[in-house]
Amino acid sequence: QKEVEQDPGPLSVPEGAIVSLNCTYSNSAFQYFMWYRQYSRKGPELLMYTYSSGNKEDGRFTAQVDKSSKYISLFIRDSQPSDSATYLCAMKNSGAGSYQLTFGKGTKLSVIP
Amino acid sequence: KAGVTQTPRYLIKTRGQQVTLSCSPISGHRSVSWYQQTPGQGLQFLFEYFSETQRNKGNFPGRFSGRQFSNSRSEMNVSTLELGDSALYLCASSFEPGQGMTNSPLHFGNGTRLTVT
């Protein structure tokens, strides 16, 4: 079992839809949770960064972390064609002295106008 | 503020050759990490540097090496290239206030696309 599992998709939705992206993980030491967006031929761009369990909202994006279920989600409201990209979840433990992220393989999203 | 800069953007090399990739972190960031991205394996951690010292290393063979300079700029080197080394190599930097507090997010560059023929 991989440490982080993410459905690769592809996921295709109409413009304006609510998108739900998810990751599950097995390492209970993970404390920091991130979502990155990666456009073709670009590096990953940080979207959301959360610590431990709970929700965080930023504009049209909401990140949720449920540590008891080892499950994280990213919701995109009012999706736009410009949201078409690959979305990567990433996690790290709280250990000081090292910054090693473990990534999911990414979900490819297409928002159709 | 300029982002993470990686050079070159594209490289084509032949099996057996070696290659050096360069990374300039965001100004003020002292931690630099390298990742390899392939369609099959996704993003995999290579190594991480802080204040010119390798702090952590992923599960890659010794052909992969790196270093960090006093200005936080970093290079990674791959010797004796193999076809399987073809990938997007990503550099990322983060700000650490000190004492190894690694709770600030990673910011990535656009990568170097390496093709080995």
Side-chain angles (χ1 to χ4, degrees):
Chain A
Q1 182 193 9
K2 293 189 73 70
E3 272 193 298
V4 179
E5 300 277 2
Q6 183 177 10
D7 187 337
L11 181 62
S12 185
V13 301
E15 183 176 354
I18 296 175
V19 176
S20 172
L21 305 167
N22 312 293
C23 289
T24 58
Y25 63 95
S26 57
N27 187 345
S28 57
F30 288 144
Q31 295 284 346
Y32 296 91
F33 304 90
M34 287 138 274
W35 285 95
Y36 285 86
R37 176 176 63 194
Q38 187 173 23
Y39 291 114
S40 180
R41 296 189 178 85
K42 296 286 190 180
E45 169 195 11
L46 180 68
L47 278 178
M48 302 289 280
Y49 179 72
T50 55
Y51 172 70
S52 197
S53 285
N55 294 358
K56 184 174 183 179
E57 188 173 319
D58 184 0
R60 297 185 295 112
F61 298 91
T62 300
Q64 288 185 350
V65 175
D66 182 348
K67 290 188 67 183
S68 64
S69 302
K70 296 189 178 67
Y71 187 87
I72 71 169
S73 302
L74 177 71
F75 297 95
I76 307 174
R77 291 183 299 282
D78 188 25
S79 55
Q80 303 295 309
S82 59
D83 295 328
S84 298
T86 296
Y87 290 79
L88 300 150
C89 63
M91 310 174 187
K92 73 177 287 291
N93 61 30
S94 59
S98 177
Y99 208 129
Q100 178 176 349
L101 292 183
T102 302
F103 281 86
K105 286 196 175 181
T107 300
K108 187 168 184 178
L109 171 68
S110 295
V111 180
I112 311 302
Chain B
K1 201 181 232 185
V4 177
T5 304
Q6 293 188 246
T7 56
R9 286 297 312 275
Y10 302 94
L11 265 178
I12 300 176
K13 291 286 187 179
T14 305
R15 270 182 303 176
Q17 288 186 315
Q18 74 165 15
V19 66
T20 299
L21 313 181
S22 181
C23 172
S24 293
I26 292 172
S27 178
H29 287 193
R30 294 190 293 166
S31 171
V32 174
S33 303
W34 289 88
Y35 288 78
Q36 181 196 65
Q37 187 175 30
T38 58
Q41 299 298 318
L43 273 122
Q44 294 186 286
F45 174 76
L46 279 159
F47 27 65
E48 176 201 3
Y49 290 87
F50 180 77
S51 291
E52 301 178 67
T53 300
Q54 187 178 89
R55 192 159 62 179
N56 200 2
K57 190 177 193 303
N59 189 24
F60 278 82
R63 300 184 296 106
F64 292 81
S65 63
R67 58 178 175 168
Q68 187 181 31
F69 302 96
S70 58
N71 61 359
S72 294
R73 194 177 68 83
S74 178
E75 288 180 349
M76 68 163 281
N77 184 278
V78 188
S79 62
T80 318
L81 284 165
E82 301 177 359
L83 294 179
D85 297 334
S86 295
L88 181 66
Y89 289 89
L90 292 160
C91 172
S93 72
S94 67
F95 171 75
E96 291 186 25
Q99 299 176 342
M101 293 173 61
T102 57
N103 58 357
S104 56
L106 271 184
H107 298 272
F108 283 85
N110 285 325
T112 294
R113 170 76 61 186
L114 173 64
T115 302
V116 182
T117 63

